[in-house]
Amino acid sequence: MKRLIYLRLVAALWFAFTVTAQAADVVVIVNLANTNNLSTTMVKKIYTGEMTSWPNGGAVAPIDLDENSEVRASFSANYLGKTVGNMKAFWAHKIFTGRGIPPKVTGSDSEVKNIVSGNANAIGYISASSLDRSVKAISK
Amino acid sequence: MRIELIMRKKWGKAFLRILGAALLTTVVAVGGAERTSAVEIGKVNINGFGHQGLLLTGGKNEFLFADETGTWNFNSLALLFSSRVNDKTTVYSQIQLDEDTLGDQSNNTLNNSADDPAAGTRDETDSIGLDWAFVDYRFNEDLSVRGGQVKMPWGIYNELRDVKYLHLSTVLPYMYVKGKGGTTDIVHEALRGVAATYRIDLGGAGRLVIDPVVGEIADEGSSLGIPDALGNRMGMKMEHGLLVGGRITYDTPIDGLTLMSTFSSSEMYMWMQMSMSMMGTTSWMTPVEEWDKMEMLITSLEYVNNGIDLKAEYATMDMMEKAMLKSKMESYYVQAGYNVTDKWTPFVRYDYILTDDEDSSGNDLKSDPRFYQKAMTVGVGYKINYNLALKAEYHSIKGYALTDKPFVFSSGKNDKNWDLFAASISFIF
């Protein structure tokens, strides 16, 4: 009986870990020189192509992570209210009707930070644990 | 020993099945998706799409160049080049392979010319066509203007009519299908001119998007009818003049529900000539030509949410004023699909088109199978990943208004009741 309870507990913890891994803690980051006041509404407008210019000037350069990324899944759910699949279909409609260009895609948090820290107009998102002083996080 | 003890109990086996399923699901979720970003060369992004289809009809009818033996000439390949010049300006250009080695069904073109003895056959020349190319300038978040050769923002499907990956079905609803050399088009593809997009945020009531256009239709249709049993046939050529129109889209407060209304008014030039065969000699009668006005109206509803994909549209095309050319085309469809496990989407659709409501004497043509075509379609789509999809469908059809033998005057050359099988593989990147 004790053995069975132990096994059930292991299974529950395993599922919990899997669910937790999917809901990664995400922060949106911009260049340290970016002085624009950003809201979550503006983040959504940027990543859906509605906003292409910063209020203070300059072309917004949004960066996405790879479709496989749990961080991207979490960002899509929490900031855009859509799944990664929904957003892929959304951008396919936009690009093939000539109404927008999707964000550039890169493979890892470190690549996102490199791009954002090197481009005053770039915006991206990374896992909270990857945040460092090379970029600035916006609050949700 | 411990595993054996677990397996002897019913709930133990169930637990292992659940654990195995969870492990398998995790492996698939982590490893299954493909990277699908565009190719980038400097500041130029390259996206693309294509499809390869198989069509097969039952009976005598030929539709979309398919007959009982089937056709593989149902395909397309296109490359889209885009570049953000600055924060307000973006340039787009799409080229599409429009040649017989791929199959001219990619652009649904029929080689037609009143002077061409091979009229009514496929275009045998190879070419790469410019599908659309324009510059987009964004004044602000709500207003942008495009100039060049633009896809007309008509209805739900027109701007994406060639991107099969984004469709539920292989064969589009009839209102978007080019039949009989373009002479039965309700919805035309592209326009050379200027288009704009203006968004109005209604707050809690949703959003309006207005897409006005002005210019000239970027294609022209012509057709030379295949001779009937007596050797008579008719040739027709159309050219388009100025077009003014637009689409209003209402993104409702109900998530996924969108309503649209599209209207256009354009000038059209039509040239017609008939031939008569008597005693083994064919003579062409004096051609008739004139300008007329063409008006199109489309009403659309789309609901895409929680796996449900529901679309319905109603369209009319009136050619007015001139008695000789007066005709009214009508088409509608209702399509419903349901997405299962993000991969499978079974769907059904009912299609109807009437290419002319009455003849020059005022006789009703709604019951004449030469002028109507109705279909009940069932099918399924399967998305392999974000790039690749498979589709298969069966159409049960009555009437032959859109079949590939235009202006057939004699009976017996078409089946009133027939069917079509279509399958395709499509991709985007």
Side-chain angles (χ1 to χ4, degrees):
Chain A
M1 188 64 183
K2 284 184 183 175
R3 197 175 299 146
L4 298 173
I5 294 172
Y6 170 75
L7 286 170
R8 283 177 179 170
L9 183 62
V10 167
L13 283 172
W14 186 86
F15 277 116
F17 172 77
T18 305
V19 171
T20 304
Q22 292 294 325
D25 205 10
V26 176
V27 291
V28 176
I29 57 171
V30 293
N31 187 277
L32 292 173
N34 190 323
T35 57
N36 291 284
N37 286 323
L38 269 184
S39 64
T40 51
T41 302
M42 288 169 77
V43 172
K44 183 173 181 178
K45 284 188 173 185
I46 289 170
Y47 277 87
T48 54
E50 289 186 35
M51 181 172 148
T52 57
S53 304
W54 290 110
N56 293 349
V60 181
I63 311 295
D64 248 332
L65 281 169
D66 190 82
E67 291 96 355
N68 293 332
S69 164
E70 292 169 7
V71 178
R72 177 165 175 174
S74 185
F75 172 79
S76 273
N78 292 317
Y79 283 84
L80 308 181
K82 301 283 183 189
T83 65
V84 173
N86 291 155
M87 288 308 299
K88 291 290 295 181
F90 170 84
W91 275 111
H93 275 80
K94 266 198 170 276
I95 186 65
F96 290 118
T97 55
R99 291 173 184 266
I101 299 177
K104 289 187 188 302
V105 177
T106 189
S108 67
D109 286 0
S110 58
E111 288 179 37
V112 174
K113 284 190 294 182
N114 285 340
I115 294 171
V116 172
S117 61
N119 183 348
N121 292 322
I123 178 171
Y125 54 86
I126 55 176
S127 60
S129 58
S130 298
L131 184 63
D132 59 28
R133 292 180 183 179
S134 66
V135 291
K136 179 165 65 176
I138 70 158
S139 8
K140 190 168 188 220
Chain B
M1 180 62 79
R2 286 182 182 179
I3 293 173
E4 285 178 25
L5 286 171
I6 293 170
M7 291 295 286
R8 282 177 194 159
K9 304 288 183 180
K10 282 188 233 178
W11 45 261
K13 287 183 183 176
F15 166 73
L16 284 172
R17 286 193 195 110
I18 293 170
L19 184 61
L23 280 170
L24 179 62
T25 304
T26 305
V27 168
V28 169
V30 170
E34 299 288 336
R35 186 172 179 147
T36 56
S37 54
V39 174
E40 294 174 28
I41 302 176
K43 291 183 76 173
V44 179
N45 302 292
I46 304 174
N47 296 81
F49 62 84
H51 75 275
Q52 171 62 58
L54 168 66
L55 303 183
L56 195 71
T57 64
K60 295 179 243 181
N61 296 359
E62 294 177 17
F63 181 46
L64 302 176
F65 298 116
D67 58 15
E68 285 183 290
T69 61
T71 183
W72 291 96
N73 281 335
F74 189 82
N75 43 46
S76 72
L77 181 62
L79 293 176
L80 167 63
F81 302 88
S82 57
S83 179
R84 183 164 289 146
V85 178
N86 53 46
D87 61 330
K88 292 190 179 295
T89 310
T90 309
V91 178
Y92 299 88
S93 175
Q94 180 171 301
I95 59 172
Q96 189 155 342
L97 289 176
D98 169 22
E99 36 96 10
D100 210 55
T101 54
L102 270 194
D104 56 1
Q105 201 51 55
S106 56
N107 275 335
N108 293 338
T109 55
L110 184 68
N111 183 27
N112 288 294
S113 165
D115 299 323
D116 186 346
T121 62
R122 292 192 185 91
D123 188 342
E124 298 294 336
T125 60
D126 295 353
S127 65
I128 295 177
L130 180 68
D131 217 10
W132 41 274
F134 58 86
V135 175
D136 181 283
Y137 183 80
R138 180 171 286 208
F139 289 92
N140 52 49
E141 279 181 28
D142 298 321
L143 177 64
S144 61
V145 174
R146 296 181 291 285
Q149 181 157 316
V150 301
K151 277 278 172 89
M152 289 200 274
W154 288 176
I156 294 173
Y157 277 115
N158 199 49
E159 291 167 293
L160 292 166
R161 63 193 300 158
D162 295 320
V163 192
K164 293 289 176 204
Y165 178 89
L166 296 176
H167 304 167
L168 279 190
S169 60
T170 295
V171 176
L172 280 172
Y174 288 159
M175 57 192 285
Y176 295 98
V177 171
K178 285 190 181 183
K180 300 182 179 178
T183 58
T184 55
D185 288 358
I186 285 183
V187 183
H188 294 273
E189 282 195 65
L191 172 123
R192 296 189 191 105
V194 178
T197 298
Y198 184 57
R199 296 179 190 84
I200 304 171
D201 190 348
L202 304 174
R207 186 176 73 167
L208 280 178
V209 180
I210 302 170
D211 289 294
V213 298
V214 60
E216 189 175 289
I217 294 174
D219 62 358
E220 48 184 90
S222 61
S223 173
L224 181 62
I226 294 174
D228 64 13
L230 300 176
N232 305 316
R233 62 182 184 175
M234 180 165 72
M236 189 165 79
K237 183 179 176 182
M238 289 192 306
E239 290 179 8
H240 298 279
L242 181 68
L243 177 146
V244 177
R247 179 180 67 189
I248 297 177
T249 304
Y250 176 41
D251 291 326
T252 72
I254 300 172
D255 194 18
L257 179 62
T258 303
L259 305 173
M260 300 176 190
S261 182
T262 309
F263 173 78
S264 76
S265 177
S266 62
E267 297 172 324
M268 190 177 70
Y269 167 77
M270 190 174 283
W271 175 97
M272 289 199 300
Q273 187 180 35
M274 289 186 67
S275 73
M276 298 284 290
S277 290
M278 289 179 66
M279 311 283 285
T281 303
T282 300
S283 57
W284 285 92
M285 298 169 71
T286 303
V288 177
E289 54 186 332
E290 61 188 26
W291 282 91
D292 202 354
K293 191 184 192 180
M294 197 162 68
E295 291 188 346
M296 180 204 68
L297 176 67
I298 305 174
T299 305
S300 315
L301 177 148
E302 182 176 45
Y303 179 73
V304 180
N305 196 19
N306 291 327
I308 297 171
D309 188 326
L310 177 65
K311 292 176 172 58
E313 295 192 278
Y314 174 79
T316 58
M317 171 72 86
D318 287 337
M319 284 190 275
M320 311 162 61
E321 297 181 0
K322 301 290 194 298
M324 184 186 74
L325 300 177
K326 185 174 182 297
S327 72
K328 177 171 180 172
M329 293 172 66
E330 181 184 22
S331 183
Y332 61 83
Y333 74 92
V334 181
Q335 177 177 279
Y338 186 72
N339 183 254
V340 181
T341 68
D342 281 341
K343 293 282 188 182
W344 295 94
T345 308
F347 70 92
V348 294
R349 184 173 79 218
Y350 180 76
D351 252 309
Y352 171 80
I353 189 165
L354 182 70
T355 55
D356 202 354
D357 62 339
E358 59 184 35
D359 64 17
S360 54
S361 303
N363 298 313
D364 191 348
L365 295 176
K366 290 181 184 135
S367 303
D368 190 330
R370 294 178 298 168
F371 295 94
Y372 72 75
Q373 191 161 320
K374 328 177 190 181
M376 190 72 209
T377 302
V378 292
V380 65
Y382 177 69
K383 285 216 169 130
I384 298 170
N385 53 36
Y386 291 128
N387 297 97
L388 212 54
L390 300 170
K391 298 175 179 46
E393 66 211 45
Y394 170 77
H395 302 237
S396 176
I397 308 173
K398 296 184 194 307
Y400 43 88
L402 296 180
T403 55
D404 297 342
K405 290 185 172 66
F407 302 108
V408 173
F409 298 104
S410 301
S411 61
K413 289 207 183 280
N414 288 291
D415 289 323
K416 182 181 170 184
N417 300 312
W418 53 291
D419 47 26
L420 168 77
F421 171 76
S424 65
I425 181 167
S426 54
F427 67 89
I428 58 170
F429 66 89

